Amino acid sequence: MNITKQDIDSLNAILKVEITKDDYAPKVEKVLKDYKKTANIPGFRKGHIPMGMIKKQYGKSVLLDEVNKLIQESLHKYLTEEKLDVLGNPLPKNEMDIDWDADDFQFEFELGLAPQFEIDLQKKAVTNYKIVADKDFLDNQIKTIRKQYGKLISKSEVAKEDEITGTFKNEEKGIDNKATFSMEKIKGKKQKDQLLGAKTGDTITLKTKGLFEDDHDNQTFLKVPHDDAHGLDIEVTLSIEEINTREEAALNQELFDKLFGKDVVKSEEEVRAKIKEDAERQFEQQSEQVLLNNAVESLIENTKFDLPAEFLTRWIQKSGEKELTEEEAKAEYERSEKGLRYQLIEGKLMADHKLHANFEELKDYTKAMVTSQMMQYGQMNPAEEELENIAARILSNQDEAKRLAEQLNQQKMLKFFKENAKLKTKEVSYDKFVKEAYQ
């Protein structure tokens, strides 16, 4: 057997695989001898069928099977030993021209080669948001807490910040749901005007388009499916059963103790400081995820290299369970190109900077996750042996191990970006962060 590589350009090559009779004949002969022992052919006793008849009936299919096995094994070995970084899998080029009645065969395979490129982490600055809990945010949090712990007072007429309990109905959509919502949830001016001044026992017809600040509230209050919630444009009736307002709780030590434990904080200033600290710790997780996303987008945009697009399109066309049309394959390639580019960039960064998590790191990460979960249930000091056993059980599940490895590698990549990428720190309020980061 002989394999040779012919480069077409830097991204495409042809592999020629030459197979002689000596390469496959012993394997074919062995399989046919096994068939001779077990085959059932009318008129012959098992094990006494002439070899000529066995070859006539099974010879060609066995030949194809054994030659294909030989090709797959040889290709894998060649690509590994030559350290060829290929995209997709080798595509047969001349399979329709093979003369299976000959003794020797020559197969050709197209290869798509991974591009060579450099990554410049300093080329363009990536925004790193520092989210601060500003005065407006803290005022809203304090107001929400005071309402949450305040006293509910019954009313007979709806005012601006009241809570309404009633039943939404729409026969056509099968809506019949009792819900409690705050007037602050209502977005549409016309719907607000209809509700303001309404009394207990009234039934009001409301348009759902723009009814709530967030279309997801259609799921919560109307109990419509997720797919129907966005852009829902129907009329519903609301039968008002209760109207309540909340008298805000006093900012006193009793409330402070309910929130944080006895005597942990002793003034409104300390409450604000505690809320600010907790909020900004949570904000940091969100800003880090956005930083990672922005760094990925920046790398894709600013790391230029060509791909063997025609080869990859043909590979996509032929590699699935059902062969795609040329148009379908082109569309699928266009959808997947961006992800492929990042896979190559990420792979190079991880290889060049040795960022892949090893098993010990993965085990420690799993144990830390387990420890955090146990602490939530009051087990503050779990034994090391117990952690080892739980981690071993978790990592014995391949899907779970893969999921955790991806999480850990993402954390390592984030840390790498924070230490090595060109960052532009921008201090913003949470509202401004949401507008900019998720626009």
Side-chain angles (χ1 to χ4, degrees):
M1 174 179 288
N2 185 42
I3 301 181
T4 55
K5 175 171 162 279
Q6 175 189 343
D7 289 325
I8 297 174
D9 54 39
S10 62
L11 297 174
N12 296 274
I14 299 292
L15 282 188
K16 293 184 178 180
V17 183
E18 296 174 355
I19 296 177
T20 67
K21 188 173 182 178
D22 291 341
D23 295 320
Y24 64 80
K27 299 176 185 292
V28 171
E29 194 68 25
K30 180 180 183 304
V31 174
L32 290 175
K33 283 181 179 178
D34 291 339
Y35 274 36
K36 185 178 187 301
K37 296 174 186 176
T38 59
N40 286 311
I41 296 180
F44 295 92
R45 286 185 296 147
K46 188 180 288 190
H48 291 77
I49 304 169
M51 181 55 80
M53 186 170 288
I54 294 292
K55 287 183 178 180
K56 183 177 180 181
Q57 186 156 344
Y58 302 108
K60 186 60 66 70
S61 64
V62 171
L63 171 66
L64 265 65
D65 285 346
E66 293 305 316
V67 169
N68 281 325
K69 287 179 188 175
L70 192 59
I71 290 171
Q72 296 306 315
E73 292 168 2
S74 302
L75 284 176
H76 177 73
K77 183 179 179 183
Y78 179 84
L79 295 175
T80 302
E81 290 179 349
E82 295 296 317
K83 297 180 180 177
L84 291 179
D85 194 0
V86 299
L87 302 177
N89 293 313
L91 281 179
K93 181 176 171 61
N94 68 329
E95 59 184 341
M96 303 304 294
D97 301 327
I98 301 300
D99 179 6
W100 289 101
D101 292 322
D103 288 336
D104 301 335
F105 310 107
Q106 179 173 291
F107 300 89
E108 294 183 356
F109 293 88
E110 295 179 79
L111 291 185
L113 305 175
Q116 300 296 312
F117 57 90
E118 296 300 321
I119 300 172
D120 185 357
L121 291 163
Q122 297 294 313
K123 186 173 183 178
K124 187 175 181 181
V126 177
T127 301
N128 181 29
Y129 288 100
K130 178 177 173 54
I131 310 169
V132 295
D134 61 2
K135 182 178 182 300
D136 287 344
F137 177 86
L138 295 175
D139 287 346
N140 284 331
Q141 291 296 301
I142 292 290
K143 183 177 181 180
T144 299
I145 289 169
R146 293 183 68 182
K147 280 191 171 184
Q148 182 181 347
Y149 287 88
K151 185 167 64 174
L152 208 59
I153 299 173
S154 179
K155 295 180 62 181
S156 60
E157 186 173 305
V158 177
K160 189 176 178 182
E161 294 185 358
D162 290 346
E163 292 180 7
I164 300 171
T165 297
T167 300
F168 288 102
K169 289 187 178 184
N170 177 288
E171 189 173 340
E172 182 182 349
K173 284 286 186 179
I175 297 171
D176 187 352
N177 188 61
K178 184 174 180 177
T180 298
F181 60 94
S182 167
M183 279 292 290
E184 294 174 349
K185 287 280 187 181
I186 302 300
K187 175 184 178 182
K189 183 180 185 306
K190 185 175 180 181
Q191 290 96 322
K192 279 185 179 179
D193 290 343
Q194 286 177 272
L195 289 168
L196 289 172
K199 296 179 172 57
T200 305
D202 286 353
T203 296
I204 299 170
T205 300
L206 300 167
K207 284 190 174 294
T208 59
K209 186 175 181 179
L211 174 60
F212 297 110
E213 287 286 350
D214 186 342
D215 275 354
H216 286 100
D217 286 336
N218 288 323
Q219 286 177 265
T220 305
F221 301 127
L222 306 184
K223 286 292 182 283
V224 295
H226 179 271
D227 291 344
D228 291 344
H230 293 276
L232 183 67
D233 188 5
I234 60 173
E235 287 187 344
V236 292
T237 60
L238 171 65
S239 300
I240 299 175
E241 298 164 28
E242 288 183 38
I243 303 167
N244 294 294
T245 191
R246 285 188 180 269
E247 183 180 274
E248 295 182 356
L251 281 172
N252 55 26
Q253 194 61 46
E254 181 183 357
L255 179 60
F256 302 157
D257 290 348
K258 285 179 182 177
L259 293 172
F260 304 108
K262 186 167 178 55
D263 294 333
V264 173
V265 297
K266 296 186 176 181
S267 66
E268 181 180 347
E269 290 70 25
E270 290 182 13
V271 170
R272 286 176 173 267
K274 192 80 168 63
I275 293 172
K276 182 179 176 66
E277 178 187 350
D278 292 344
E280 290 181 353
R281 184 164 52 245
Q282 293 179 31
F283 292 161
E284 188 175 357
Q285 295 176 2
Q286 288 181 264
S287 66
E288 285 183 343
Q289 186 59 55
V290 168
L291 170 61
L292 182 61
N293 294 342
N294 288 346
V296 167
E297 290 293 331
S298 179
L299 282 174
I300 293 172
E301 181 182 347
N302 296 293
T303 307
K304 304 299 183 184
F305 54 82
D306 292 326
L307 290 169
E310 291 184 7
F311 168 82
L312 288 170
T313 301
R314 286 195 300 276
W315 176 70
I316 289 170
Q317 184 178 4
K318 297 177 181 298
S319 62
E321 291 183 11
K322 178 185 175 184
E323 185 167 327
L324 304 178
T325 65
E326 188 175 338
E327 291 73 20
E328 289 172 336
K330 284 181 180 178
E332 182 59 32
Y333 173 72
E334 289 173 2
R335 281 193 293 269
S336 59
E337 181 185 357
K338 189 174 180 180
L340 174 58
R341 287 183 177 277
Y342 183 63
Q343 283 179 22
L344 291 169
I345 294 168
E346 182 185 46
K348 181 173 175 60
L349 285 175
M350 287 195 152
D352 290 351
H353 300 279
K354 299 179 173 57
L355 297 177
H356 280 289
N358 59 41
F359 181 75
E360 285 303 314
E361 289 175 321
L362 181 57
K363 186 172 72 170
D364 289 343
Y365 177 76
T366 306
K367 286 161 61 178
M369 178 195 73
V370 171
T371 300
S372 176
Q373 290 175 348
M374 294 175 77
M375 288 175 67
Q376 291 178 15
Y377 292 96
Q379 293 178 260
M380 306 307 292
N381 293 297
E384 181 65 21
E385 183 179 357
E386 184 180 11
L387 290 175
E388 287 277 348
N389 290 336
I390 295 173
R393 285 201 302 273
I394 292 172
L395 296 177
S396 67
N397 181 314
Q398 288 188 349
D399 290 340
E400 190 66 10
K402 181 182 178 182
R403 185 182 69 82
L404 292 172
E406 287 172 352
Q407 286 182 4
L408 178 54
N409 283 331
Q410 189 178 63
Q411 284 191 10
K412 296 184 78 168
M413 188 64 78
L414 173 64
K415 183 174 184 291
F416 175 79
F417 284 144
K418 290 175 78 170
E419 293 173 351
N420 296 279
K422 183 178 181 181
L423 302 181
K424 177 180 66 178
T425 300
K426 185 173 184 178
E427 188 171 294
V428 293
S429 68
Y430 183 71
D431 286 344
K432 190 170 182 180
F433 166 75
V434 170
K435 287 178 182 176
E436 289 191 17
Y438 300 115
Q439 60 185 344

